[in-house]
Amino acid sequence: MVSTILLAVGLVAGWMVYSYISGLRRNVQIARKTGLPYVVYAVHPHSFPWQLTFWIWLPLIKLLPKAWWEKPMIVLQPDWAYNTNQEYFDWVGSETFILAGPDDITLFTENPDLVTQMCLRREAFPKDIARYGVLTMFGQNVVSTEGAIWRMHRKVTSSSFNEKNAAHTFVEAIGQTKGMLQYYFNGTTENKTSTKTIKSLEHDTMMWALNIIGHVGFGLRLIWPGQKVPDDPKLAKYGALDPPPGYTMTFAESLGGLLHRIITILLVPNVILKILPFHFAREAAAAKENYYRYMKEFLHDKVEQVRRGDREQEGMDIMGQLVRSTYEEKAAKSNTPKLTDDEIISNAFIMTLAGHETTANILHFTLIELANNPASQRRLQKDVDALFGDSDPSTWDYEKNVNPLLASQIGACINETMRMMPPVTAIPKIVSPTSDQAITYEGRRIVLPAGLSINMVAPAIHRNPRWWPTKPSERTGRPTDLDEWIPERWYRATAKSSNGSDAAEDGEDYGGFQGSDTSASLYRPVRGSFVPFSDGPRSCLGRRIAVVELIAALGVIFQKYSVELAVDEWATDEEVKGMSAEERRALYAKAREKSRATVGKASAIITLKFNGSGQYVPVRLVKRGSERFVGDQELV
Ligand code: HEM
Ligand SMILES: *[C@@H]1O[C@H](CO)[C@@H](O)[C@H](O)[C@H]1NC(C)=O
Ligand SMILES: *[C@@H]1O[C@H](CO)[C@@H](O)[C@H](O)[C@H]1NC(C)=O
Ligand SMILES: *[C@@H]1O[C@H](CO)[C@@H](O)[C@H](O)[C@H]1NC(C)=O
Ligand SMILES: *[C@@H]1O[C@H](CO)[C@@H](O)[C@H](O)[C@H]1NC(C)=O
């Protein structure tokens, strides 16, 4: 008996050792055959066992002499791409390399030419949809599918993304930004010169973005604390600040809880979550249940509306589009493939998710960086003044102002935040599983094996000194200034030779905004070196919507206000009042140093943010002219 068990254990152990070694050998051979530089790891950073247990090993490895692990370890850490920027690529000595481990092999790149080829050749380099499991908890959707199924999802979802709805978004974003300001100033902005210290900017910008997409995307009326709940009882259900009858969470809470616990919810079935003796598990289960129920009822109401033939709905009406594609009489009769109810809910969920976290993070980080960089803030205010003067934002015309706004310091700041803190830090692709694919790389032809994983590392791509104009940093003395937030870099003239091709592979229209974001005089990065929205047929459907929300918010805020770092940690308001200019400058420098350190610690759980770990940068909104630090007195 004992010997049988020993034999079995021995066989399993032997098999594990064998498959480990043969897996490693096979992957090293594959890597070598490509002719690209490669590194070999005893464990692949994307492997499931490592992702689950890295936090045990990392501290142990760090007990060894630093020279052994310092550089090789970078790639094993979560968020290395954002936290260490060029360091790992520099150490490998190549903009593209393959990482081979026993159970996985991945090509990492920060080379714009390769990025462009891979983004544009959709069939040769499809999305690695196996990595999108977290996004399919309700069913398949436009983000999580490929091939013919993706086309169906994309066709149904993309028709709402047009300029008419962008204009509608501009108006709603102005209204929601005003709502946020009212909220910060406790109901009235009149006669108040400053808010209290705001510690919840991440949360509040999320709410801002959710309220906008909720309205323009779905016709919901979501509101700020203190605002009046809408009269329409159907809409009131989603906007309510307390859970409506039958629910245990508000709509916003259920969505927030879902996103916060998304990994748990995905890994553990709800029936188990509900009986686990942990508060977070029950909360996760409740969030999912509440959200699903809201969406089911929403779907039900829409189906009724479509059956009545009622098309009255302003805005994008994403739910209406989805429902009509399946339920409208014409669609119901034809035998083209249709979305199921759960796929409709899944697409609505993904639009809500994709449509708010990303945009919120950009607004959040832009506000912080403008507080860190008062001179850039003053330049932004000058541009807003020149465009709008004192006019009431509700009179601002979208068509007239959109291009000037994009060409102003507002556009430059948005671009610079997306360069430094791209919400989507890794764009995963895969070499078509059905055949090897040739690419041109640095003038050579390279053949990549079918099925190879690809990881395009956005933060590294965006700070690659070979492709971005740069100069030695004035602030840190480093050889480049690409790790600093400097919106003014976007005013540079564009270098003549950019080597990317400009045409999509098949010239087909996949929906979404096609136009240019620019005025010709501004900097245009080499194609493939700036990909916050990815590129090609699978690029972001909501790019225009996102940018329109952001320009509206920055315009409204900075027309009347400045944003300053709060300094409560070091000095009371009374103490600040009594300070000399010199003392204030030193104090602000301290706050700024801490702010920069905090921003540097952001991490990517779905999108790049301060991961709910209690990290925040405290700020205040101050009426222009009443600044304590960043005003015209050129203190900082
Ligand atoms: C600053 C804000 C945003 C950023 C940085 C961003 C970034 C991205 C990126 C990088 C992708 C490609 C993802 C991949 O390849 O895995 C993507 C896809 C997508 N985004 Fe966005 N996004 C933003 C805002 C939005 C908004 C506001 C919406 C909707 C209202 C939206 C809807 C989508 C959709 C539907 C896709 C999938 C497209 C497809 O695969 O066909 N995004 N986004
Ligand atoms: C603001 O100040 C003006 C003039 O001092 C006054 O007439 C007005 O009532 C004040 N508004 C509020 C809301 O306090
Ligand atoms: C933002 O980036 C785009 C390139 O993607 C560029 O065309 C545009 O000019 C930039 N905006 C500004 C204000 O520089
Ligand atoms: C563009 O490609 C040519 C050759 O194909 C090369 O000589 C040149 O250096 C490239 N330009 C840049 C900016 O790298
Ligand atoms: C969030 O970030 C903080 C600071 O970098 C880190 O200590 C913490 O482990 C992170 N939390 C998660 C869940 O990743």
PDB file of all heavy atoms in Angstrom, residues 481-497:
ATOM      1  N   ASP A 481      13.703  63.512 -20.553  1.00  0.00           N
ATOM      2  CA  ASP A 481      12.613  64.068 -19.731  1.00  0.00           C
ATOM      3  C   ASP A 481      11.312  63.297 -19.954  1.00  0.00           C
ATOM      4  O   ASP A 481      10.236  63.767 -19.618  1.00  0.00           O
ATOM      5  CB  ASP A 481      12.417  65.556 -20.045  1.00  0.00           C
ATOM      6  CG  ASP A 481      11.943  65.811 -21.460  1.00  0.00           C
ATOM      7  OD1 ASP A 481      11.758  64.831 -22.226  1.00  0.00           O
ATOM      8  OD2 ASP A 481      11.755  66.990 -21.818  1.00  0.00           O
ATOM      9  N   LEU A 482      11.412  62.101 -20.506  1.00  0.00           N
ATOM     10  CA  LEU A 482      10.197  61.370 -20.875  1.00  0.00           C
ATOM     11  C   LEU A 482       9.465  60.770 -19.687  1.00  0.00           C
ATOM     12  O   LEU A 482       8.315  60.347 -19.818  1.00  0.00           O
ATOM     13  CB  LEU A 482      10.535  60.273 -21.899  1.00  0.00           C
ATOM     14  CG  LEU A 482      10.926  60.838 -23.266  1.00  0.00           C
ATOM     15  CD1 LEU A 482      11.551  59.757 -24.137  1.00  0.00           C
ATOM     16  CD2 LEU A 482       9.718  61.456 -23.967  1.00  0.00           C
ATOM     17  N   ASP A 483      10.094  60.715 -18.532  1.00  0.00           N
ATOM     18  CA  ASP A 483       9.398  60.228 -17.340  1.00  0.00           C
ATOM     19  C   ASP A 483       8.733  61.371 -16.584  1.00  0.00           C
ATOM     20  O   ASP A 483       8.280  61.203 -15.457  1.00  0.00           O
ATOM     21  CB  ASP A 483      10.368  59.496 -16.407  1.00  0.00           C
ATOM     22  CG  ASP A 483      10.881  58.217 -17.041  1.00  0.00           C
ATOM     23  OD1 ASP A 483      10.170  57.664 -17.906  1.00  0.00           O
ATOM     24  OD2 ASP A 483      11.986  57.772 -16.691  1.00  0.00           O
ATOM     25  N   GLU A 484       8.702  62.541 -17.195  1.00  0.00           N
ATOM     26  CA  GLU A 484       8.058  63.682 -16.542  1.00  0.00           C
ATOM     27  C   GLU A 484       6.846  64.133 -17.331  1.00  0.00           C
ATOM     28  O   GLU A 484       6.823  64.058 -18.555  1.00  0.00           O
ATOM     29  CB  GLU A 484       9.057  64.835 -16.438  1.00  0.00           C
ATOM     30  CG  GLU A 484      10.054  64.608 -15.339  1.00  0.00           C
ATOM     31  CD  GLU A 484      11.323  65.398 -15.579  1.00  0.00           C
ATOM     32  OE1 GLU A 484      11.231  66.628 -15.718  1.00  0.00           O
ATOM     33  OE2 GLU A 484      12.391  64.777 -15.659  1.00  0.00           O
ATOM     34  N   TRP A 485       5.884  64.642 -16.595  1.00  0.00           N
ATOM     35  CA  TRP A 485       4.644  65.118 -17.196  1.00  0.00           C
ATOM     36  C   TRP A 485       4.852  66.550 -17.689  1.00  0.00           C
ATOM     37  O   TRP A 485       4.871  67.489 -16.880  1.00  0.00           O
ATOM     38  CB  TRP A 485       3.531  65.060 -16.155  1.00  0.00           C
ATOM     39  CG  TRP A 485       2.146  65.292 -16.680  1.00  0.00           C
ATOM     40  CD1 TRP A 485       1.290  64.362 -17.201  1.00  0.00           C
ATOM     41  CD2 TRP A 485       1.432  66.534 -16.708  1.00  0.00           C
ATOM     42  NE1 TRP A 485       0.103  64.952 -17.547  1.00  0.00           N
ATOM     43  CE2 TRP A 485       0.164  66.277 -17.264  1.00  0.00           C
ATOM     44  CE3 TRP A 485       1.740  67.841 -16.336  1.00  0.00           C
ATOM     45  CZ2 TRP A 485      -0.798  67.270 -17.441  1.00  0.00           C
ATOM     46  CZ3 TRP A 485       0.783  68.833 -16.509  1.00  0.00           C
ATOM     47  CH2 TRP A 485      -0.475  68.543 -17.055  1.00  0.00           C
ATOM     48  N   ILE A 486       5.051  66.714 -18.993  1.00  0.00           N
ATOM     49  CA  ILE A 486       5.326  68.036 -19.566  1.00  0.00           C
ATOM     50  C   ILE A 486       4.444  68.228 -20.793  1.00  0.00           C
ATOM     51  O   ILE A 486       4.820  67.852 -21.903  1.00  0.00           O
ATOM     52  CB  ILE A 486       6.822  68.158 -19.964  1.00  0.00           C
ATOM     53  CG1 ILE A 486       7.723  67.828 -18.772  1.00  0.00           C
ATOM     54  CG2 ILE A 486       7.121  69.553 -20.508  1.00  0.00           C
ATOM     55  CD1 ILE A 486       9.200  67.787 -19.107  1.00  0.00           C
ATOM     56  N   PRO A 487       3.253  68.802 -20.613  1.00  0.00           N
ATOM     57  CA  PRO A 487       2.326  68.899 -21.752  1.00  0.00           C
ATOM     58  C   PRO A 487       2.910  69.717 -22.898  1.00  0.00           C
ATOM     59  O   PRO A 487       2.557  69.499 -24.058  1.00  0.00           O
ATOM     60  CB  PRO A 487       1.088  69.575 -21.158  1.00  0.00           C
ATOM     61  CG  PRO A 487       1.488  70.110 -19.829  1.00  0.00           C
ATOM     62  CD  PRO A 487       2.661  69.319 -19.374  1.00  0.00           C
ATOM     63  N   GLU A 488       3.807  70.631 -22.565  1.00  0.00           N
ATOM     64  CA  GLU A 488       4.354  71.508 -23.595  1.00  0.00           C
ATOM     65  C   GLU A 488       5.106  70.732 -24.671  1.00  0.00           C
ATOM     66  O   GLU A 488       5.332  71.245 -25.763  1.00  0.00           O
ATOM     67  CB  GLU A 488       5.257  72.580 -22.972  1.00  0.00           C
ATOM     68  CG  GLU A 488       4.493  73.626 -22.143  1.00  0.00           C
ATOM     69  CD  GLU A 488       4.013  73.098 -20.778  1.00  0.00           C
ATOM     70  OE1 GLU A 488       4.518  72.043 -20.318  1.00  0.00           O
ATOM     71  OE2 GLU A 488       3.104  73.723 -20.179  1.00  0.00           O
ATOM     72  N   ARG A 489       5.466  69.477 -24.391  1.00  0.00           N
ATOM     73  CA  ARG A 489       6.184  68.726 -25.430  1.00  0.00           C
ATOM     74  C   ARG A 489       5.305  68.511 -26.664  1.00  0.00           C
ATOM     75  O   ARG A 489       5.801  68.250 -27.744  1.00  0.00           O
ATOM     76  CB  ARG A 489       6.684  67.380 -24.895  1.00  0.00           C
ATOM     77  CG  ARG A 489       5.632  66.305 -24.787  1.00  0.00           C
ATOM     78  CD  ARG A 489       6.212  64.943 -24.416  1.00  0.00           C
ATOM     79  NE  ARG A 489       6.489  64.828 -22.989  1.00  0.00           N
ATOM     80  CZ  ARG A 489       7.708  64.779 -22.464  1.00  0.00           C
ATOM     81  NH1 ARG A 489       8.767  64.811 -23.251  1.00  0.00           N
ATOM     82  NH2 ARG A 489       7.882  64.687 -21.172  1.00  0.00           N
ATOM     83  N   TRP A 490       3.969  68.641 -26.473  1.00  0.00           N
ATOM     84  CA  TRP A 490       3.073  68.410 -27.600  1.00  0.00           C
ATOM     85  C   TRP A 490       3.031  69.580 -28.573  1.00  0.00           C
ATOM     86  O   TRP A 490       2.368  69.499 -29.604  1.00  0.00           O
ATOM     87  CB  TRP A 490       1.667  68.066 -27.097  1.00  0.00           C
ATOM     88  CG  TRP A 490       1.651  66.727 -26.453  1.00  0.00           C
ATOM     89  CD1 TRP A 490       1.894  66.461 -25.134  1.00  0.00           C
ATOM     90  CD2 TRP A 490       1.458  65.460 -27.085  1.00  0.00           C
ATOM     91  NE1 TRP A 490       1.849  65.100 -24.918  1.00  0.00           N
ATOM     92  CE2 TRP A 490       1.582  64.467 -26.095  1.00  0.00           C
ATOM     93  CE3 TRP A 490       1.193  65.062 -28.399  1.00  0.00           C
ATOM     94  CZ2 TRP A 490       1.445  63.106 -26.378  1.00  0.00           C
ATOM     95  CZ3 TRP A 490       1.050  63.716 -28.678  1.00  0.00           C
ATOM     96  CH2 TRP A 490       1.181  62.751 -27.679  1.00  0.00           C
ATOM     97  N   TYR A 491       3.704  70.669 -28.240  1.00  0.00           N
ATOM     98  CA  TYR A 491       3.721  71.798 -29.172  1.00  0.00           C
ATOM     99  C   TYR A 491       4.888  71.733 -30.140  1.00  0.00           C
ATOM    100  O   TYR A 491       5.060  72.600 -30.975  1.00  0.00           O
ATOM    101  CB  TYR A 491       3.772  73.135 -28.420  1.00  0.00           C
ATOM    102  CG  TYR A 491       2.548  73.354 -27.580  1.00  0.00           C
ATOM    103  CD1 TYR A 491       2.607  73.270 -26.201  1.00  0.00           C
ATOM    104  CD2 TYR A 491       1.332  73.636 -28.177  1.00  0.00           C
ATOM    105  CE1 TYR A 491       1.479  73.455 -25.427  1.00  0.00           C
ATOM    106  CE2 TYR A 491       0.197  73.821 -27.407  1.00  0.00           C
ATOM    107  CZ  TYR A 491       0.280  73.734 -26.040  1.00  0.00           C
ATOM    108  OH  TYR A 491      -0.833  73.909 -25.282  1.00  0.00           O
ATOM    109  N   ARG A 492       5.730  70.750 -29.988  1.00  0.00           N
ATOM    110  CA  ARG A 492       6.859  70.596 -30.881  1.00  0.00           C
ATOM    111  C   ARG A 492       6.393  70.365 -32.303  1.00  0.00           C
ATOM    112  O   ARG A 492       5.393  69.702 -32.525  1.00  0.00           O
ATOM    113  CB  ARG A 492       7.566  69.314 -30.494  1.00  0.00           C
ATOM    114  CG  ARG A 492       8.918  69.447 -29.990  1.00  0.00           C
ATOM    115  CD  ARG A 492       9.329  68.033 -29.651  1.00  0.00           C
ATOM    116  NE  ARG A 492       9.414  67.868 -28.202  1.00  0.00           N
ATOM    117  CZ  ARG A 492      10.542  68.050 -27.540  1.00  0.00           C
ATOM    118  NH1 ARG A 492      11.637  68.383 -28.170  1.00  0.00           N
ATOM    119  NH2 ARG A 492      10.569  67.891 -26.247  1.00  0.00           N
ATOM    120  N   ALA A 493       7.197  70.809 -33.260  1.00  0.00           N
ATOM    121  CA  ALA A 493       6.879  70.482 -34.650  1.00  0.00           C
ATOM    122  C   ALA A 493       7.191  69.006 -34.877  1.00  0.00           C
ATOM    123  O   ALA A 493       8.076  68.450 -34.247  1.00  0.00           O
ATOM    124  CB  ALA A 493       7.707  71.345 -35.580  1.00  0.00           C
ATOM    125  N   THR A 494       6.454  68.412 -35.795  1.00  0.00           N
ATOM    126  CA  THR A 494       6.635  66.980 -36.047  1.00  0.00           C
ATOM    127  C   THR A 494       7.830  66.731 -36.956  1.00  0.00           C
ATOM    128  O   THR A 494       8.029  67.438 -37.942  1.00  0.00           O
ATOM    129  CB  THR A 494       5.365  66.430 -36.711  1.00  0.00           C
ATOM    130  OG1 THR A 494       4.288  66.629 -35.812  1.00  0.00           O
ATOM    131  CG2 THR A 494       5.502  64.960 -37.035  1.00  0.00           C
ATOM    132  N   ALA A 495       8.617  65.717 -36.605  1.00  0.00           N
ATOM    133  CA  ALA A 495       9.734  65.340 -37.467  1.00  0.00           C
ATOM    134  C   ALA A 495       9.175  64.848 -38.795  1.00  0.00           C
ATOM    135  O   ALA A 495       8.083  64.290 -38.852  1.00  0.00           O
ATOM    136  CB  ALA A 495      10.550  64.248 -36.796  1.00  0.00           C
ATOM    137  N   LYS A 496       9.907  65.078 -39.867  1.00  0.00           N
ATOM    138  CA  LYS A 496       9.363  64.751 -41.188  1.00  0.00           C
ATOM    139  C   LYS A 496       9.171  63.249 -41.387  1.00  0.00           C
ATOM    140  O   LYS A 496       8.150  62.792 -41.859  1.00  0.00           O
ATOM    141  CB  LYS A 496      10.262  65.335 -42.276  1.00  0.00           C
ATOM    142  CG  LYS A 496       9.808  66.741 -42.674  1.00  0.00           C
ATOM    143  CD  LYS A 496      10.682  67.298 -43.763  1.00  0.00           C
ATOM    144  CE  LYS A 496      11.743  68.276 -43.362  1.00  0.00           C
ATOM    145  NZ  LYS A 496      12.888  68.117 -42.661  1.00  0.00           N
ATOM    146  N   SER A 497      10.202  62.465 -41.039  1.00  0.00           N
ATOM    147  CA  SER A 497      10.104  61.045 -41.383  1.00  0.00           C
ATOM    148  C   SER A 497       9.492  60.244 -40.249  1.00  0.00           C
ATOM    149  O   SER A 497      10.101  60.050 -39.221  1.00  0.00           O
ATOM    150  CB  SER A 497      11.487  60.492 -41.672  1.00  0.00           C
ATOM    151  OG  SER A 497      12.212  60.416 -40.457  1.00  0.00           O
TER     152      SER A 497
END
